[in-house]
Amino acid sequence: MLAILRDLIRYNLEFRIGLVLVGIVVVMAALSVVSPYPAGDVYVVPPDLPPSTAHWLGTTSRGQDVFWQLTAAIRNTLFFGIMVAALSRVIALVVGLLAGYSGGWIDRVLMSINDTFIIIPLFPILILFYFVLRDSMSTPLLATIMACLGWAYDARLIRSVALSLKTREFTQTSIFSGMKTHEVLAREHLPYVLPIVFSTTMNNMNWSIGIEVTLAVLGFTDINTPTIGGMIYWANQHTALVAGIWWWIAFPIALVVMTFVGLFLLAVSMNEYIDPRSRLARMGGSR
């Protein structure tokens, strides 16, 4: 994996740009630990001040410093995306590898379940979960629900790779040497799908962050936990644009767009690396 990252940094401009953008976002999130104000407190600074040297990104109508509020919001939003991506990768890996390797009725049953999750409309289901679990809805619970709904496309992709790996000679050698199914999948097949897992993780984070921001803007999440969507929600509640408090909405949107672009470029560059012809063409063109 380190060799792949080294090649991407050396030969792929999109990967380097994506890495810089995501790095800036991560630094913003890390700064939340040194925030002088608790993220949930209001009226800790004078409200509605424009960007200045005292408050770099201005203040909100709730008396919060936009910069420090943004560090806590992007931290929680990133954490949410990572939770969803990690949990859904586990499900996608188990289903994809097991279905592709086992074949037969196991493959048919798992793919039937997989296809069901592909075709069901996710957004109405998430809103339904919110109304059913409104009193107990929290960020970890919402992340778990989204992870259970967001693995199907990637499981099919991993299955297609597993179908190819199943016919390779090293797989037959592993079987004849007495390795069990979980050992073949973990030791022999998993290393081959890790680049795909990395690529789909970036895409899944973009998807989950986009859904979370949308739900938060509509007020269908825990709006008391600072997130990018939560900041936009409160800005709308206080009619920030009408009042001329543009910095309350502009900076959260700019940061989340930076996050989307950075993760997208990382995913695209990894997809290109997975394709041997594209990889060799780029490496040859860079010489």
Side-chain angles (χ1 to χ4, degrees):
M1 197 66 187
L2 290 177
I4 295 174
L5 292 176
R6 183 194 59 204
D7 287 344
L8 284 168
I9 292 173
R10 185 175 181 184
Y11 294 109
N12 197 304
L13 176 62
E14 289 86 353
F15 186 84
R16 292 197 294 271
I17 295 173
L19 205 59
V20 170
L21 293 177
V22 172
I24 293 172
V25 173
V26 170
V27 169
M28 280 288 293
L31 287 175
S32 64
V33 299
V34 295
S35 172
Y37 317 107
D41 286 5
V42 295
Y43 299 111
V44 293
V45 294
D48 297 340
L49 294 178
S52 64
T53 53
H55 304 285
W56 295 347
L57 305 183
T59 65
T60 71
S61 297
R62 306 179 78 211
Q64 297 167 312
D65 187 289
V66 171
F67 178 80
W68 294 113
Q69 190 70 12
L70 206 52
T71 60
I74 194 62
R75 178 198 64 198
N76 293 334
T77 297
L78 271 186
F79 181 61
F80 178 83
I82 292 171
M83 272 198 299
V84 174
L87 291 173
S88 62
R89 291 320 80 192
V90 172
I91 301 173
L93 273 172
V94 171
V95 173
L97 288 177
L98 189 60
Y101 176 76
S102 301
W105 68 270
I106 295 179
D107 183 29
R108 289 194 294 274
V109 170
L110 290 177
M111 286 303 101
S112 297
I113 298 171
N114 186 91
D115 293 343
T116 302
F117 278 92
I118 286 178
I119 62 173
I120 58 176
L122 299 184
F123 198 72
I125 292 177
L126 289 171
I127 294 177
L128 176 63
F129 269 110
Y130 167 76
F131 283 113
V132 173
L133 303 171
R134 178 182 300 182
D135 295 334
S136 57
M137 181 61 77
S138 62
T139 300
L141 179 58
L142 179 61
T144 303
I145 293 170
M146 289 186 61
C148 292
L149 296 173
W151 54 270
Y153 284 103
D154 304 328
R156 266 214 169 272
L157 184 60
I158 293 171
R159 172 183 173 270
S160 66
V161 178
L163 285 172
S164 170
L165 295 173
K166 181 181 178 181
T167 62
R168 303 282 183 87
E169 187 175 340
F170 69 84
T171 301
Q172 303 304 319
T173 303
S174 302
I175 295 171
F176 290 135
S177 66
M179 292 179 71
K180 297 179 180 178
T181 298
H182 69 276
E183 293 175 325
V184 174
L185 298 181
R187 297 181 186 177
E188 304 297 334
H189 289 185
L190 183 60
Y192 287 92
V193 299
L194 282 181
I196 297 175
V197 171
F198 180 82
S199 171
T200 58
T201 297
M202 301 298 109
N203 285 328
N204 193 267
M205 284 183 65
N206 262 347
W207 170 79
S208 58
I209 289 173
I211 294 287
E212 192 278 335
V213 169
T214 304
L215 290 172
V217 169
L218 297 174
F220 291 145
T221 61
D222 178 14
I223 55 175
N224 293 316
T225 300
T227 62
I228 295 296
M231 287 188 71
I232 299 172
Y233 169 84
W234 285 115
N236 282 330
Q237 291 297 307
H238 287 263
T239 60
L241 285 181
V242 177
I245 319 298
W246 56 267
W247 50 89
W248 194 356
I249 288 184
F251 291 120
I253 290 177
L255 191 61
V256 80
V257 168
M258 184 186 295
T259 306
F260 283 142
V261 173
L263 292 174
F264 174 74
L265 290 176
L266 292 181
V268 167
S269 54
M270 181 58 77
N271 279 335
E272 187 181 281
Y273 187 89
I274 293 171
D275 180 8
R277 288 173 298 183
S278 300
R279 181 171 72 247
L280 291 174
R282 179 178 288 273
M283 294 172 71
S286 300
R287 290 172 183 167

